Each structure stands twice: as C-alpha cells, then as structure tokens.
Amino acid sequence: RRSNLSVQRDYHPTLGSCGEVRSDIFIQRGSAPEREVVEEIIPLLEVDQVISSSQQAVAVVKIDVQGHEFGVLRGMTKLLGRTTGYPKHIFYEEDPKMIRRSGYKPGACQKLLEAFSYQCQKSGGDILCSKE
C-alpha cells in the first residue's frame, strides 16, 4: 500500500568541533503536518584539517552555513595565515538574526578576516573579502 508522504529535513548544527546536529523533520500526511525531532551525530572537520599542506593552493572560498560562518573561519586560520596559496577571495552571507541564533556576533567574520589583511565589501547580506 502506498501513502502520500512528503518529508522535509532542516539541519541546525550546534557549536563545537564535533557536535550533535538536530534535525527537524516535517512529515506531511494528508492535510495535517506532524513534527518529529531526531538527533544525529555528524562528525565535523576543520578546513585546516582537510587542507593541511601548504602545497595545496586555494583560490576562492564560498561559505554558506546558515549563521555558522565564524566557526568555519576559526577552523581555517592556518589557511588564512599563509604567505602563499591562501584564498584570494572569500564569499559569505551575513544574516544577523541567524548569526545570533547560532551563538556568534554579527561582524565577527569581517573582523577576523581583516586581521588577516583581507579587505571586505558588503552587497546586501553578502560579503566579499579579498586579499592580494
């Protein structure tokens, strides 16, 4: 027997280098939606763990993690601090509401990147930071 079922899953990662991810699952049967919360353990890696060799050059980084951009940048400070092979351009979105909900402060990403000599410019909620 087949049922008319649609599932939508949204992930909301918690803070930490290896953390729990809460998944909100919305199950639609007929006309009344039901909500079920499921916890999953998903290992997280820092960018510096993945791209550890100074031989691996990185040209562009695009970060889209729904308010957790600062956590990603903290996990790539070795890459940002390189004298060669560092990303010349970093794109990210800054939504103050999502950032606060994730436990970070709006503007922290730009401040961190400027400490590594990046120049940042905003265009709406998107930010491009570049270094030559």
Side-chain angles (χ1 to χ4, degrees), residues 4-8 25-29 32-36:
N4 190 7
L5 177 70
S6 66
V7 177
Q8 174 186 341
I25 302 174
F26 299 93
I27 301 172
Q28 179 76 40
R29 289 189 184 104
E34 300 174 23
R35 184 168 184 220
E36 178 182 338

Side-chain angles (χ1 to χ4, degrees), residues 14-67:
T14 60
L15 301 176
S17 60
C18 182
E20 293 182 355
V21 174
R22 192 184 96 221
S23 302
D24 289 339
I25 302 174
F26 299 93
I27 301 172
Q28 179 76 40
R29 289 189 184 104
S31 61
E34 300 174 23
R35 184 168 184 220
E36 178 182 338
V37 176
V38 178
E39 286 192 5
E40 300 174 31
I41 303 296
I42 300 175
L44 304 175
L45 295 173
E46 294 179 344
V47 174
D48 284 338
Q49 292 175 305
V50 178
I51 304 173
S52 58
S53 169
S54 60
Q55 302 294 321
Q56 296 174 292
V58 176
V60 176
V61 173
K62 167 69 171 119
I63 305 170
D64 187 356
V65 290
Q66 307 303 314

Side-chain angles (χ1 to χ4, degrees), residues 63 69-77 80 90 92 109 112-113:
I63 305 170
E69 290 77 8
F70 186 74
V72 171
L73 291 171
R74 275 196 328 204
M76 57 187 279
T77 55
L80 297 174
I90 299 175
Y92 66 94
C109 290
L112 176 70
L113 288 167

